[in-house]
Amino acid sequence: MSMTLASAYRKRKCHTQITLAVTSFNFSTWLPQLTPEQLEALTLAATTHALSHGLLYLPPSPSNTQPPIPTTAIHAPLSLVPAPFPRAQFHAARELQSVYNVLYARVAMDTKFLDIVMGAEEGVGKADEFTGMLWRGWKKIREQGVLAQPLHLGLFRSDYLLHAAEDRLALKQVEFNTISSSFDPLSERAAAMHRNILASTSYFSASPHLTADNFPENNTTSGLTEGLSEAHEAYNVRDARILFVVQPNERNVFDQQWLELKQEDRHQIHVVRQTLADLAVSGTSEGGHRCIYGKAHLRQFLLSCRHGFNSHGQRYAFPRDR
């Protein structure tokens, strides 16, 4: 069987599946056998590469708070050896992505459908308080006629499980992320780390599958920044900023800041980071049509939400104009 090696994102529930070719690969025999000395060498190679290439988290804190200015970092969770994934299923998932992108974009623009399915009057929002709150806020904005921006940008991530049953493999979708789609830059750095370990150690020839042609390229950071750049160009306001709405005490800041740095370095488009609590103080609107930030009156053309996608955080009320 033709194999590729990639990181797996595992969750319990599966919603869709595609059944593909029979496999002779025995997944139960993975991982390759390594000696304690070899494991120690791989651990050293992985952690030093992660720390020197921005594959990082902020460390946990007993008080669950982070300092305003970070002084320490730890490497993000990682695997020493990449997970095997059949090449055909890997390419099928990539081809499906563009189909799902179009599907979810069309659903997101179908107001009548969303009112029926998600609304608080007859849809999911009637039973789920958080969904109902979001829908009522969206409905109020529509009724006020302040949805002035006709352009939209989606940054999506689709997660899959590989399921084996009766000698057949099924590609099962776990979820489709349309908000807070994270870990893209860190996944790129994890892939680069595995390629570096392969180049420096050959994984001690522990498996015939651990070869360079089985390590796919991962360029998600540039793909996301190109999308943000094209949205900026379409907005056609040169000094507009991107607003990242982030969680307070966020540990996964480096994953987000890789996007910020690439956006500024390659496209000279600046990013402003704000929590919902920050925006409750600093955010204003200009006639309901433009979001501006603070006393500097920096115009925001794009909102990238890394927070507010569940009911765990506090809720804030934003004035329409101030």
Side-chain angles (χ1 to χ4, degrees), residues 272-295:
V272 175
R273 296 171 60 86
Q274 293 271 280
T275 65
L276 290 176
D278 293 333
L279 285 173
V281 176
S282 66
T284 64
S285 65
E286 188 177 279
H289 295 286
R290 300 186 183 96
C291 181
I292 54 180
Y293 155 69
K295 296 180 180 179

Side-chain angles (χ1 to χ4, degrees), residues 31-32 34-45 80-81 204:
L31 293 164
L34 295 162
T35 67
E37 293 77 16
Q38 290 170 341
L39 282 173
E40 184 176 356
L42 293 181
T43 302
L44 177 62
L80 298 181
V81 183
F204 302 103

